[in-house]
């Protein structure tokens, strides 16, 4: 059933990071191109790098080398450069802080569920002054598997002591949708993210919302069980 206003009775919101909370593409592109130049490859346009974001750092690095096998040490090279550019140009998308505040006002617990490694997530959230909003953070290397596997979502629900249907996933790509569907969570998407180069459609998820603030207006906290 397609979502309607105030249709999500949930206890928590699980929110993606890159492309949903923060626009991080410029930081990532700087690191990608420094890595490519160091390995004798030409730099890539930021728009192309943007389309590679979403399924973790290792996948990003592989895709940046096209059909060629990524050279040994390329991932470590990217991480070294990204530690320098992480947060340099990143900014919260419009409506993020307002949306987090609105979700909090409705009594929801908040989790950031991302495929980005913890070494980048912790300083980035702190730098963007978003760290204080989250009760729990699951990174790409927190568990054995990351999105689109449902494990990060089911793990977070277990941490909160709720059923998956009581947690709303908010993301920007099919990566988030597939994880939510497999976990049994309702899912809404923002249209401004990366989505691995494809545009999200209304039929892909329970709703397309212009901002996280708009997503919060669709939430009516579930009654205590």
């Amino acid at each position: 059933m397609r979502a309607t206003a105030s249709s999500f009775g949930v206890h928590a919101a699980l929110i993606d990071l890159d492309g949903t909370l923060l626009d991080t593409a410029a930081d990532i592109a700087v690191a990608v191109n420094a890595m490519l130049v160091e390995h004798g490859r030409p730099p890539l346009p930021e728009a192309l790098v943007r389309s590679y974001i979403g399924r973790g750092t290792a996948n990003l690095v592989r895709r940046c080398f096209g059909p060629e096998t990524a050279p040994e040490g390329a991932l470590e090279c990217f991480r070294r450069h990204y530690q320098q550019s992480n947060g340099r140009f990143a900014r919260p998308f419009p409506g993020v802080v307002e949306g987090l505040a609105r979700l909090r006002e409705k009594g929801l617990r908040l989790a950031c569920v991302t495929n980005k490694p913890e070494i980048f997530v912790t300083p980035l959230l702190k730098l963007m002054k978003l760290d204080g909003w989250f009760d729990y953070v699951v990174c790409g290397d927190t568990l054995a598997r990351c999105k689109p596997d449902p494990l990060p979502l089911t793990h977070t629900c277990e941490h909160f002591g709720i059923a998956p249907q009581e947690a709303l996933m908010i993301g920007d790509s099919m990566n988030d949708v597939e994880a939510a569907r497999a976990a049994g969570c309702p899912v809404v998407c923002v249209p401004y993210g990366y989505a691995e180069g494809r545009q999200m459609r209304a039929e892909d998820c329970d709703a397309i919302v212009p901002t996280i603030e708009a997503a919060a207006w669709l939430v009516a906290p579930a009654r205590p069980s």
Side-chain angles (χ1 to χ4, degrees):
M1 180 182 294
R2 193 64 52 207
T4 57
S6 300
S7 63
F8 298 111
V10 294
H11 291 300
L14 318 184
I15 310 175
D16 177 56
L17 181 59
D18 296 283
T20 303
L21 288 168
L22 298 176
D23 187 354
T24 55
D27 294 346
I28 293 171
V30 167
V32 159
N33 286 327
M35 171 195 70
L36 290 172
V37 169
E38 193 166 317
H39 285 86
R41 269 65 166 190
L44 298 175
E46 182 181 316
L48 182 58
V49 175
R50 181 181 292 261
S51 73
Y52 293 162
I53 299 170
R55 292 187 182 249
T57 304
N59 181 70
L60 168 72
V61 168
R62 282 195 300 270
R63 295 186 72 182
C64 287
F65 285 93
E68 301 178 40
T69 301
E72 184 177 351
L75 179 58
E76 291 73 18
C77 180
F78 168 79
R79 290 183 172 182
R80 172 164 45 84
H81 287 293
Y82 190 44
Q83 282 185 292
Q84 300 300 314
S85 64
N86 186 26
R88 187 189 302 176
F89 304 109
R91 295 290 183 274
F93 286 105
V96 164
V97 174
E98 296 85 351
L100 294 173
R102 176 66 61 180
L103 290 165
R104 276 284 191 210
E105 288 172 6
K106 293 194 172 188
L108 272 65
R109 302 185 73 181
L110 303 180
C112 178
V113 183
T114 174
N115 283 352
K116 187 189 289 290
E118 190 275 336
I119 192 173
F120 306 125
V121 173
T122 299
L124 182 59
L125 288 176
K126 185 175 182 179
L127 185 63
M128 298 292 106
K129 296 180 169 52
L130 295 181
D131 54 322
W133 288 106
F134 295 104
D135 302 293
Y136 197 53
V137 177
V138 176
C139 305
D141 49 3
T142 300
L143 303 166
R145 300 182 299 280
C146 58
K147 298 177 296 181
D149 193 279
L151 179 61
L153 280 64
T154 57
H155 170 84
T156 303
C157 291
E158 289 172 7
H159 176 81
F160 285 157
I162 61 176
Q165 62 266 27
E166 297 175 311
L168 175 65
M169 180 71 211
I170 304 174
D172 71 317
S173 72
M174 287 305 297
N175 209 36
D176 301 304
V177 172
E178 290 169 15
R181 294 295 189 223
C185 300
V187 55
V188 301
C189 291
V190 294
Y192 52 70
Y194 307 143
E196 295 184 282
R198 61 160 288 182
Q199 185 164 356
M200 295 301 297
R201 303 169 301 173
E203 58 265 33
D204 291 329
C205 54
D206 294 313
I208 298 287
V209 291
T211 64
I212 291 179
E213 184 178 17
W217 286 105
L218 295 179
V219 171
R223 287 191 287 266
S225 55

